[in-house]
Amino acid sequence: MRYNINNNMGEFVFFQLPKSIQFNEEYKGLSVEARYLYMLMYDRNKISISNNWIDSNGDIYIYFSIEAICDSLDVKNQKAIKLKKELIKFNLIEEVRQGLNKPNIIYVNVPKKYDAGTENTRKYENHTSGIPNFTLQDIHKTHSNNNKYNNNKIINSVSSIDGVSMEDFYNGMY
């Protein structure tokens, strides 16, 4: 049972990454590391709500120093700064300097909406690309075995497929 994680789902705590960060065209150029950093910031944003870190405008903010980013992502200073700038460039976070050796305030923005209905996904028709469209009744005709071995032992020994008799299956009566 080491592959069945359903038994242990209550024991785990998960991070969340909004689907729009992954699938929205607006974020195509966003690096995987920046996506991961956004996921960590998104998680901290939920903690800020419970800590009541809300400014006078009603906006939720977080603190996430460069040192904390370095520790969380196991990267150097320059990489952490680069990833933070990447998130700012994609308008996923805003940073407000406080000065006087105080940590910067970070606002985690809501990503642009992801519309799954406009997603460029394969439709069923595309799965049969290059194969002529057949109705179910035509299949037995196109894949028939018209040779002297039609009455082979394998076909005759099978009495039904998914509850459909072989005779009905071959006659298109299913």
Side-chain angles (χ1 to χ4, degrees):
M1 282 258 233
R2 59 179 207 200
Y3 298 113
N4 187 351
I5 65 169
N6 287 331
N7 295 337
N8 301 326
M9 290 303 283
E11 298 174 18
F12 296 114
V13 178
F14 294 93
F15 288 112
Q16 291 181 325
L17 181 69
K19 280 188 174 183
S20 51
I21 298 293
Q22 184 65 33
F23 297 111
N24 193 328
E25 290 294 321
E26 298 271 337
Y27 307 115
K28 259 312 192 214
L30 193 63
S31 70
V32 173
E33 292 163 314
R35 293 170 202 243
Y36 190 78
L37 177 57
Y38 180 83
M39 181 180 64
L40 294 176
M41 289 182 170
Y42 186 82
D43 188 62
R44 282 185 173 223
N45 202 49
K46 291 187 277 183
I47 296 168
S48 290
I49 294 169
S50 63
N51 288 336
N52 204 27
W53 289 353
I54 301 171
D55 68 9
S56 59
N57 295 328
D59 295 324
I60 302 161
Y61 60 89
I62 65 169
Y63 295 112
F64 207 172
S65 68
I66 293 297
E67 294 78 23
I69 293 171
C70 291
D71 288 342
S72 297
L73 298 177
D74 196 25
V75 296
K76 304 271 188 219
N77 254 15
Q78 289 179 330
K79 182 69 170 187
I81 293 168
K82 178 184 174 238
L83 294 173
K84 212 162 149 184
K85 284 181 180 179
E86 194 174 343
L87 292 176
I88 292 169
K89 175 185 166 195
F90 281 89
N91 200 29
L92 289 170
I93 64 168
E94 294 175 34
E95 190 171 28
V96 177
R97 290 187 167 295
Q98 294 193 92
L100 300 171
N101 292 328
K102 291 182 181 178
N104 294 345
I105 291 175
I106 299 172
Y107 294 97
V108 180
N109 294 330
V110 176
K112 293 190 179 178
K113 189 174 180 185
Y114 165 68
D115 186 8
T118 61
E119 181 183 348
N120 187 14
T121 58
R122 277 190 170 177
K123 304 280 187 270
Y124 175 75
E125 296 82 40
N126 291 343
H127 288 292
T128 57
S129 167
I131 299 173
N133 290 330
F134 295 113
T135 64
L136 290 177
Q137 291 181 347
D138 291 338
I139 291 176
H140 75 277
K141 295 176 188 172
T142 58
H143 297 291
S144 63
N145 187 3
N146 293 327
N147 59 33
K148 63 182 179 179
Y149 302 108
N150 272 350
N151 295 325
N152 61 39
K153 292 179 185 175
I154 295 171
I155 294 296
N156 289 335
S157 67
V158 177
S159 61
S160 70
I161 296 175
D162 292 332
V164 177
S165 73
M166 293 306 291
E167 184 177 348
D168 288 345
F169 179 81
Y170 282 114
N171 291 328
M173 301 296 214
Y174 51 97

